[in-house]
Amino acid sequence: MAGSGERARHWQYAELPGVDLLRARYVRKTFVRHTHENFVIAAIAEGVEVFHHGGGDQYAGAGALALVNPDTPHTGRAGVPEGWRYGAVYPSPEVVAEIAAETTVIRGTPGFVSPVLDDPYTVGLVHQVLRAADEGNALAADTLLRVAVTRLLRLNGGPLPRREVRTAGARTAARARAVLEERMSGPPTLEQLAADLGTSPFALLRAFRDAYGMPPHTWLTDARVRRARRLLDAGTAPAEAALSVGFTDQPHLNRHFARIVGVPPGAYQRERKNVQDLRRQMLLPSETWQNRQLSQTHPPKTGKNPMPPSYGTPSESGSP
């Protein structure tokens, strides 16, 4: 992204388990059709993001949030020449369910009703979560995340519909998906897969699109990147991860990974390693850990009294 004005950081904060974090500015970046295992809560600070979702293009400008439920196919691109700048949090379904159970009356699996919500107040909360995580303020990060998710669920939340496999086509699609998951590094052709399942290639293609919102080859690329992320999280080298999930080499992984996750796999893994190193430090004897933390958080005095950062919620009315 050098020279393009684009930049991105995709990371985790050890004190926010089950949550991924992103801060980015994109101009020419395009996200191919993909899904996330976690919720997407993207707070637009500048510009406009356009993303295909639910059969049509959605537009999220400054002061709005792009909201995507888990396992929901979507894309992403700039809606204006100058691109868009945003911060995003990706809480797991378990994190959102816990918050919903404590603070809302939603019954069933909670999710977002509309993919775009104009709410500058919550946009500010999301960016404060990212700042608190950057500065190591665990209490603020956790508090602000819960306030933001609660507000979004109250303004734009509801139970997600249950996905039930009823038709013969849906059952065939589910069987095809299981085969692709099992044979990820050496998948069959569409014709071979259809023959093994006792159907025709075009019938399988229609059934798979109806069930998962994308054709089998697009779904497979998405699934490979998901599995590669798990391998990178576990410390597997990018080149090895690429071959393990069925990509021809690391550049092949790099291309698809960046078009789905937003950063290259090497940068993604470095941020994961930083979090893992921090967690290991937290297992040190308490005296060693406390001395190290004191040296980091209390630098020598310079004669000045700098003001501490403010983590108060935005001042607009309308608390969650």
Side-chain angles (χ1 to χ4, degrees), residues 52-98:
H52 194 82
H53 177 287
D57 282 344
Q58 308 291 332
Y59 294 78
L65 299 111
L67 305 170
V68 182
N69 295 318
D71 297 315
T72 302
H74 62 286
T75 63
R77 59 182 172 84
V80 291
E82 59 269 28
W84 79 105
R85 181 174 66 84
Y86 70 114
V89 294
Y90 302 82
S92 70
E94 293 76 18
V95 169
V96 172
E98 175 194 341

Side-chain angles (χ1 to χ4, degrees), residues 151-173:
R151 180 176 173 86
L152 289 173
L153 289 173
R154 289 180 177 176
L155 293 176
N156 187 41
L160 293 177
R162 293 184 179 181
R163 293 183 177 179
E164 297 183 7
V165 178
R166 295 178 178 177
T167 67
R171 289 192 293 271
T172 299

Side-chain angles (χ1 to χ4, degrees), residues 105 244 267 311:
V105 294
S244 296
Y311 294 99

Side-chain angles (χ1 to χ4, degrees), residues 7-313:
R7 57 189 181 274
R9 181 191 179 200
H10 193 295
W11 82 103
Q12 289 180 325
Y13 177 40
E15 299 299 333
L16 284 182
V19 182
D20 279 4
L21 308 169
L22 175 71
R23 185 183 286 118
R25 179 179 183 269
Y26 296 123
V27 180
R28 295 189 297 270
K29 179 78 172 178
T30 59
F31 289 89
V32 298
R33 197 163 182 80
H34 66 285
T35 63
H36 294 277
E37 294 177 299
N38 288 4
F39 284 86
V40 179
I41 301 174
I44 312 301
E46 296 176 356
V48 177
E49 180 186 12
V50 183
F51 59 106
H52 194 82
H53 177 287
D57 282 344
Q58 308 291 332
Y59 294 78
L65 299 111
L67 305 170
V68 182
N69 295 318
D71 297 315
T72 302
H74 62 286
T75 63
R77 59 182 172 84
V80 291
E82 59 269 28
W84 79 105
R85 181 174 66 84
Y86 70 114
V89 294
Y90 302 82
S92 70
E94 293 76 18
V95 169
V96 172
E98 175 194 341
I99 295 172
E102 185 176 355
T103 62
T104 75
V105 294
I106 297 173
R107 296 294 175 260
T109 303
F112 301 125
V113 175
S114 173
V116 176
L117 179 67
D118 288 314
D119 185 18
Y121 183 88
T122 308
V123 167
L125 288 175
V126 171
H127 286 282
Q128 287 195 54
V129 172
L130 299 175
R131 187 177 68 174
D134 262 343
E135 299 181 357
N137 190 326
L139 179 60
D142 189 18
T143 300
L144 293 164
L145 176 72
R146 292 173 183 275
V147 172
V149 172
T150 298
R151 180 176 173 86
L152 289 173
L153 289 173
R154 289 180 177 176
L155 293 176
N156 187 41
L160 293 177
R162 293 184 179 181
R163 293 183 177 179
E164 297 183 7
V165 178
R166 295 178 178 177
T167 67
R171 289 192 293 271
T172 299
R175 292 167 58 202
R177 172 174 170 161
V179 171
L180 294 175
E181 286 179 334
E182 183 179 353
R183 300 176 57 182
M184 186 172 291
S185 60
T189 66
L190 180 64
E191 183 176 6
Q192 292 169 341
L193 182 58
D196 290 343
L197 297 176
T199 187
S200 72
F202 282 104
L204 175 58
L205 180 59
R206 286 193 299 269
F208 204 97
R209 279 177 167 165
D210 289 343
Y212 302 113
M214 59 183 78
H217 70 280
T218 304
W219 180 91
L220 179 60
T221 298
D222 191 37
R224 283 173 167 169
V225 169
R226 282 193 183 191
R227 187 171 295 182
R229 286 182 65 174
R230 296 190 189 101
L231 291 172
L232 294 171
D233 289 347
T236 304
E240 183 181 346
L243 297 178
S244 296
V245 302
F247 290 116
T248 55
D249 51 24
Q250 185 175 339
H252 192 196
L253 169 64
N254 291 355
R255 184 166 63 254
H256 289 291
F257 198 96
R259 294 171 69 192
I260 288 176
V261 181
V263 296
Y268 173 90
Q269 188 176 55
R270 283 193 295 274
E271 292 289 353
R272 285 336 193 240
K273 184 178 184 301
N274 292 339
V275 172
Q276 292 167 0
D277 289 346
L278 178 59
R279 286 172 178 158
R280 282 194 290 269
Q281 288 175 350
M282 295 174 73
L283 296 177
L284 291 172
S286 59
E287 182 177 352
T288 304
W289 169 246
Q290 290 170 4
N291 289 341
R292 183 174 299 178
Q293 286 298 96
L294 286 171
S295 68
Q296 293 174 350
T297 58
H298 298 284
K301 294 182 178 180
T302 61
K304 297 181 180 180
N305 295 312
M307 293 294 291
S310 171
Y311 294 99
T313 55

